[in-house]
Amino acid sequence: MRIHHLNCGTTRPFGGRLVSGTGSPLTFARNVCHCLLLETAAGLVLIDTGLGLGDVRNPGRLRPMFRRLSRPVLAADETAARQVARLGYELDDVRHIVLTHLDVDHAGGLGDFPNAKVHLYAAELEAARRPLDARERFRYHASHWAHGPDWVPHATTGDNWFGFPAVGDLAGLPSSILLVPLAGHTRGHAGVAVDTGRTDGGSKRWLLHAGDAYFNHAQMTHDPSCPPITGAFQTLMQADRAARIHNLQRLNDLARTGEVDIFCAHDPAELDRAQSAESSGRAAITSSAPAIPPAAE
């Protein structure tokens, strides 16, 4: 498969290094919405959507507090829809979307791909449909799935993947794509693991999109830390503190083995590193897979 690392939504929260770990605290930080686009024999697969064209055209779809604190750039050219088109594809070539969770900056672009099957954990879909508290009512925006997506909910049981349970054999998807339960940020939060098939030692074979299980690359080091505003935000938005901290520690342990390339959704340093590798050919991995087949009638 060929893997593209996309930024599908820049945000500019105030706080500089208190948010990102770099720059003056009196400047605006840069955050991203790191998504993956996979070219596979089953068609295009999008992992998270970032913000969508609907958000750009109608910012009122996003809550005023989100717009004030995150300061999204809302550029049409950053949407997954426009980036798919720039690669020469039609939007319907995106046959599957795999979500880490349904927060607005991860699912805002669902409506741009109305015919795609949308894979996620059943617990996350349940939380969005039947929020239990004010935090869940705030974070989920039904307007982002008002078009009636073709939901494909999954249970959280499955095979062992580096010590994590994982769900493989997602209907219609290559076996190289797995859902990995990482509850805590939301009830049904997931990571998405991708087996690149790489065996030559030039790059790690496995990628793990960890969503919002963590927010800053420093959290994956031997001496983990987190900028204070970002740390406070993680606490504010967590659905389950114990689960979030447990999974954060497990991810840190896995990151330090060096066996998996782990990245989160919003750290610009991780995105820049991945895009640099992609542009130099180290992460754009092409197999002998056949061309994308025509859509089923």
Side-chain angles (χ1 to χ4, degrees):
M1 67 176 69
R2 185 177 176 89
I3 301 171
H4 303 275
H5 293 263
L6 311 179
N7 173 21
C8 297
T10 299
T11 59
R12 291 287 194 178
F14 184 75
R17 68 170 175 265
L18 303 180
V19 173
S20 65
T22 62
S24 165
L26 301 180
T27 59
F28 294 104
R30 169 184 168 241
N31 283 345
V32 298
C33 294
H34 190 162
C35 303
L36 294 179
L37 182 69
L38 312 180
E39 299 182 45
T40 80
L44 298 183
V45 179
L46 189 60
I47 297 175
D48 277 358
T49 71
L51 297 169
L53 287 170
D55 302 313
V56 174
R57 294 165 180 156
N58 178 20
R61 295 206 317 173
L62 305 172
R63 301 202 192 284
M65 184 177 294
F66 174 83
R67 298 200 307 272
R68 264 196 316 273
L69 296 180
S70 297
R71 301 181 70 252
V73 172
L74 296 177
D77 282 349
E78 286 191 342
T79 62
R82 291 289 174 83
Q83 295 189 68
V84 165
R86 283 201 298 274
L87 288 169
Y89 290 104
E90 301 294 330
L91 298 188
D92 279 350
D93 289 330
V94 176
R95 308 282 170 76
H96 298 269
I97 296 171
V98 186
L99 293 177
T100 61
H101 60 302
L102 280 165
D103 277 354
V104 297
D105 46 354
H106 298 258
L110 283 177
D112 297 333
F113 307 96
N115 297 318
K117 293 184 178 297
V118 182
H119 301 259
L120 74 174
Y121 273 131
E124 185 68 7
L125 186 57
E126 174 69 13
R129 285 173 165 171
R130 299 175 181 83
L132 294 178
D133 54 27
R135 183 185 292 108
E136 289 188 339
R137 287 190 292 273
F138 172 81
R139 77 190 319 155
Y140 297 122
H141 294 211
S143 60
H144 285 144
W145 46 87
H147 61 288
D150 185 0
W151 300 113
V152 186
H154 298 276
T156 56
T157 57
D159 297 327
N160 182 286
W161 181 81
F162 291 98
F164 292 82
V167 177
D169 297 323
L170 304 178
L173 287 171
S175 59
S176 54
I177 301 173
L178 307 175
L179 270 175
V180 180
L182 294 173
H185 180 67
T186 67
R187 272 197 263 165
H189 187 276
V192 184
V194 179
D195 183 352
T196 68
R198 194 72 179 251
T199 59
D200 61 6
S203 296
K204 295 182 178 67
R205 176 169 177 170
W206 283 95
L207 304 180
L208 177 65
H209 190 315
D212 287 358
Y214 72 97
F215 281 77
N216 187 272
H217 60 277
Q219 293 176 274
M220 292 294 107
T221 63
H222 285 268
D223 186 18
S225 63
C226 185
I229 290 179
T230 295
F233 177 78
Q234 287 181 108
T235 299
L236 176 67
M237 294 305 296
Q238 66 192 5
D240 185 329
R241 176 178 173 80
R244 181 182 70 81
I245 292 175
H246 174 65
N247 282 321
L248 179 61
Q249 181 59 62
R250 296 171 76 202
L251 286 173
N252 181 276
D253 292 342
L254 178 58
R256 289 188 288 110
T257 68
E259 295 185 75
V260 178
D261 184 1
I262 303 174
F263 52 89
C264 66
H266 301 302
D267 188 304
E270 291 181 335
L271 176 69
D272 292 346
R273 180 196 71 207
Q275 289 184 332
S276 176
E278 179 186 336
S279 65
S280 67
R282 291 193 300 270
I285 302 165
T286 305
S287 73
S288 57
I292 293 174
E297 295 295 332

